[in-house]
Structures are given as structure tokens and as C-alpha cells.
Amino acid sequence: MIIILTFIAFTGLVALISWYKTKEENLSTKEGYFLAGRGLTGLVIAGSLEMTNLSTEQLVGQAGQSYSTNMGAMSWSVNASIALLALALIFLPKYLKAGITTIPEFLEVRFDRTTKQIISFLFLLGYMLTYLPTVLYSGALAFNQIFHLDQLFGITTYQSIAILCVAIGVIGSIYAIFGGLKAVAVSDTVNGVGLLIGGLLIPILSICILGNGSFLAGIQDFITNVPAEKFNAVNPANALPPMIPWPVLFLGMLFNNLFYWCTNQSIMQRVLGAKNLKEAQKGSLLTGLTCVFCPIFLVAPGVIQFIRDGGVLTDFDMAYPSLIKDILPTPVLGFFAAVMFGAILSSFNSVLNSASTIYALDIHRPLFNPTASDARMVKIGQNFGTVVAVVSTIMSPFMLYMGGITSFVNSAFAAFNTPIFVCLLCGFFWK
């Protein structure tokens, strides 16, 4: 009961703050609904960027990857700081000068409408079939481990995950569809504070438990008992998945991060909604700084759980949920469940809002209703967001059969992210 009460209390607080901060917003205009009235400050942008990036597919997936391999998973976060520096110094000045609402819109300005529509379709396909289902599934996986719904109701794990996916999808859709970008950004910022506190609690408490109450003794135990190869963050060039070969750090991963942080609509929509260039750059650089420290609560827990249970797990994505269930006191468990719920919602509603924006402004308006008013476009975006939410929710339980979360997401996105990025680079640097 305490777990449920603390969960409801923090979740309700986030909803209340989001409502209060956005109740006066005009959501009937294109900029008001899709870009938060272009009034976001650097701190809100940073919080929203980080929470859009961080969700249970990161918390669960990267911990599972480090559990099964080594610390190499940290390179995703650390490498991202380079991309965010490029975003602040190279990409943002051009984007904001062009006054665009979506990234495909930049391609129309630079090339033509056909290019814009092709890229818009690729974005929507990736969001609907890959990213959103994975966010819902990884969140459901963690929540089932915390609340044990399968045992509580005497149902299968698949049925429990399916129920949780639906519940998360419905609540996340309410934020994105009815609140617009401003509600998403505000809730992201509040949840970001909770994630920072809750995320750091996991490695700190784990280390203290290893040291029988002493943090320093736990550090010594951690260093002594973890096999040396688990500390490796740079793997051989011939390393096989889920390990990350070291050449990938400077080739595939760098371009993957440049695509994600500099051209991905779900990320760009936050900085495009900035009050001015200075605030957009401030938010980007602050996010880059936090990415350097993210491995503390993204990757380290997987290695900690490995030495706690001796590496007996066959489903590596269960490493993080198992750890938080084992070490968190009951009252704190409810708070952390709410923090994880906020992380799930932040990624889900951010991407859902971006999908609605791309469809309404880049596909529906030019193809079906060029003279439509802003209010009509907002309604179209809300309707399409509902369709995307339903499709991704139906698909999400089937992620159970896709193997490791992190490997699946990165492999799926790699099919089209580099071509999109190359199109943008050509638009930037070739006449």
C-alpha cells in the first residue's frame, strides 16, 4: 500500500505542476501547440531533452547490456556530448534562422516537397514501429517486476506486460495529445529532478549494501570483486554484439548520435521551441554535460547486479528491475516507480507529440488541406497522435520476443538514420 501511495503522490504532483504551468497557454495555434509558443528557456529545454532521451529502454537496456558484457554501454551517453556540442554550435544557428517547425520542413526549403515527404514518412515509421513500442515495453517490464501484477492476478508475464503497456500508453497520450509541447516540456523538467535523485539512489544504495552500510567499504568491495574485464569500456575491433567494437565509437556511433541529437524531430522540437538562440544553445550544452555523468546510473547498476547475483540471469533486461526491487526500501520503491513512470511518459509523449507535428504540418496540410487553419491542424495532429498511440500500444507487448532492448532499438534506427542525416548534411554544406 505504501508503494502505491507514494507512486500516486509523486505522479499526481507532476500532473498538477504541468497543469498549473500550462493552463493559460493558447493551444489553438500552430506555434502554441507544437512549439510551446517558442518560449522555452534553457533549463526547461535541458530537462526536456534529457528526459526525452532517458527512459526505461535506457535504464533497463543499458544496465542489461553492461550486465551481459562490460562498461562499453557507457559510450552511448558519453559520445552524445560531442553531438550536442555540434548541435549548439553548428546546427541550431541554421535551424532557428530558417524559422522552421519541423526538420523535414528544412529539407523542403533546401530541396523540394518530395524530399520532405519521404523523410517525414521515415520518421513516422521509425516512431510508430520501433521507438514507441520499445518505450512502452521496457516500462511495462520494469513495473511488472516492481508490482508483480502477473503473480497478483494469476496471469502470464505477457498478459501483465500487455495490460501495463495499455495503461502507460493511455496516460502518456493524454499529456501529448491534449497538453501540447509545453505540458510535455514542463512535466519532463519535474520528472528530470526526480530521475536525478532516484537514479543516483540506485548505485549509492547498492554500493552501501555491498559494504554492509559503508559506502567506502562498498566501493572497495566493488573494485575487488568485479572481474577486471567487466570494467572495460573499449572493446576489441572484432567484438560481437551486444559488445560495441572500438571503431564504432568514432564511426557508426558518432553518426548515430549526430542524427539523434541534431536531426531527430523528437529532440529538435524542444530547441525549435526555444525563446531565442542563446536559450536553445544553453539547453543543448547543459544536456551534453549531464550525458557525461549518465553512466553512473545507467551502466553501473548492471555491473553491480552482476556481482550481486553472480551473473545467473538469462534475460539480461531483468538486471535493472531485479536490482531496484532488491535494494530499495518499500517507501522509496513507490517514489522510484513514479520516477520511472515519469521517464516513460517523457519519452512516449515527446515522440508522440513530434509524430503529430510531422504528420499535421508536413504531410496532411500540403497533401490534403493546404488552406487549413492552425486550429484545424492542431485537431488533425491530435487525431493522428491517437492513431499512433493505439498502433504502438498494440505492438509493444511483442517486443518481449525481440531480444535485448538497446541492441534492437539501435539496430532498427540504423536502417534509416544515417541516410536522413546525410540528406541534411548535403543541405547544409553543398550549394
Side-chain angles (χ1 to χ4, degrees):
M1 181 59 69
I2 294 177
I3 296 176
I4 296 174
L5 289 176
T6 51
F7 172 80
I8 293 174
F10 186 79
T11 303
L13 176 65
V14 174
L16 181 63
I17 293 174
S18 300
W19 169 80
Y20 180 77
K21 288 290 187 180
T22 58
K23 63 179 181 178
E24 304 296 334
E25 294 294 316
N26 182 7
L27 300 180
S28 63
T29 66
K30 179 180 74 172
E31 291 197 349
Y33 182 81
F34 295 116
L35 290 179
R38 293 193 189 269
L40 299 181
T41 61
L43 186 61
V44 173
I45 290 170
S48 189
L49 284 177
E50 197 58 75
M51 287 302 291
T52 299
N53 175 52
L54 290 180
S55 187
T56 41
E57 93 279 356
Q58 296 253 30
L59 293 168
V60 173
Q62 289 197 19
Q65 194 171 352
S66 63
Y67 181 94
S68 62
T69 58
N70 52 31
M71 297 287 283
M74 69 183 292
S75 54
W76 286 108
S77 296
V78 176
N79 191 282
S81 60
I82 301 173
L84 282 155
L85 185 63
L87 172 64
L89 300 180
I90 300 173
F91 289 85
L92 280 180
K94 289 184 178 290
Y95 288 152
L96 295 183
K97 183 179 180 180
I100 59 175
T101 305
T102 68
I103 295 302
E105 187 180 340
F106 174 82
L107 292 172
E108 181 180 31
V109 172
R110 182 60 184 81
F111 298 113
D112 54 31
R113 179 177 294 181
T114 303
T115 305
K116 178 185 75 171
Q117 290 170 349
I118 291 172
I119 299 301
S120 297
F121 176 76
L122 288 177
F123 271 127
L124 294 178
L125 197 65
Y127 290 156
M128 191 184 303
L129 302 184
T130 301
Y131 191 76
L132 288 174
T134 308
V135 169
L136 292 176
Y137 164 71
S138 59
L141 191 69
F143 272 86
N144 187 57
Q145 184 68 10
I146 294 173
F147 295 107
H148 293 296
L149 292 189
D150 50 350
Q151 299 175 17
L152 188 63
F153 295 108
I155 57 180
T156 65
T157 300
Y158 177 84
Q159 291 171 329
S160 175
I161 287 175
I163 292 170
L164 286 166
C165 285
V166 172
I168 296 169
V170 169
I171 297 174
S173 300
I174 292 172
Y175 272 98
I177 295 171
F178 297 106
L181 181 61
K182 184 66 177 289
V184 171
V186 172
S187 64
D188 285 352
T189 304
V190 180
N191 281 316
V193 175
L195 183 63
L196 181 63
I197 297 170
L200 290 174
L201 269 179
I202 301 302
I204 291 173
L205 289 177
S206 301
I207 294 294
C208 288
I209 292 173
L210 289 177
N212 295 318
S214 170
F215 183 77
L216 293 179
I219 291 288
Q220 182 62 42
D221 183 89
F222 181 70
I223 295 173
T224 303
N225 293 320
V226 173
E229 61 272 13
K230 296 292 286 185
F231 286 116
N232 289 342
V234 180
N235 297 311
N238 60 350
L240 299 176
M243 284 190 175
I244 303 171
W246 71 261
V248 174
L249 304 181
F250 307 101
L251 299 172
M253 181 178 291
L254 178 60
F255 288 103
N256 186 81
N257 275 326
L258 284 170
F259 161 79
Y260 180 79
W261 290 104
C262 301
T263 66
N264 187 357
Q265 177 65 27
S266 64
I267 294 295
M268 287 299 96
Q269 201 155 334
R270 279 100 196 101
V271 292
L272 293 177
K275 185 181 297 185
N276 50 48
L277 176 60
K278 180 180 178 181
E279 293 297 322
Q281 291 175 320
K282 188 188 302 181
S284 302
L285 293 174
L286 185 57
T287 306
L289 179 63
T290 59
C291 281
V292 176
F293 298 98
C294 283
I296 296 174
F297 58 86
L298 287 178
V299 180
V303 179
I304 293 172
Q305 183 63 7
F306 180 85
I307 63 172
R308 281 174 52 83
D309 66 13
V312 298
L313 290 177
T314 54
D315 183 357
F316 304 133
D317 287 333
M318 290 302 297
Y320 194 81
S322 299
L323 180 63
I324 62 176
K325 179 65 176 177
D326 291 344
I327 68 166
L328 286 181
T330 300
V332 181
L333 190 58
F335 163 73
F336 190 73
V339 168
M340 291 189 70
F341 188 64
I344 300 162
L345 292 186
S346 295
S347 293
F348 182 79
N349 56 31
S350 296
V351 175
L352 193 60
N353 182 264
S354 297
S356 300
T357 305
I358 289 176
Y359 177 77
L361 302 183
D362 294 333
I363 295 179
H364 188 91
R365 174 178 264 175
L367 286 180
F368 305 114
N369 198 349
T371 60
S373 65
D374 280 3
R376 178 59 181 163
M377 283 300 95
V378 168
K379 187 64 177 177
I380 292 296
Q382 291 174 330
N383 292 340
F384 183 75
T386 303
V387 173
V388 172
V390 170
V391 173
S392 58
T393 301
I394 292 173
M395 291 190 58
S396 55
F398 297 100
M399 296 296 111
L400 179 67
Y401 307 107
M402 294 298 178
I405 295 173
T406 299
S407 297
F408 170 72
V409 171
N410 292 330
S411 297
F413 267 109
F416 61 88
N417 58 14
T418 302
I420 293 176
F421 182 63
V422 169
C423 288
L424 279 157
L425 283 185
C426 289
F428 267 69
F429 299 112
W430 273 267
K431 292 183 180 181

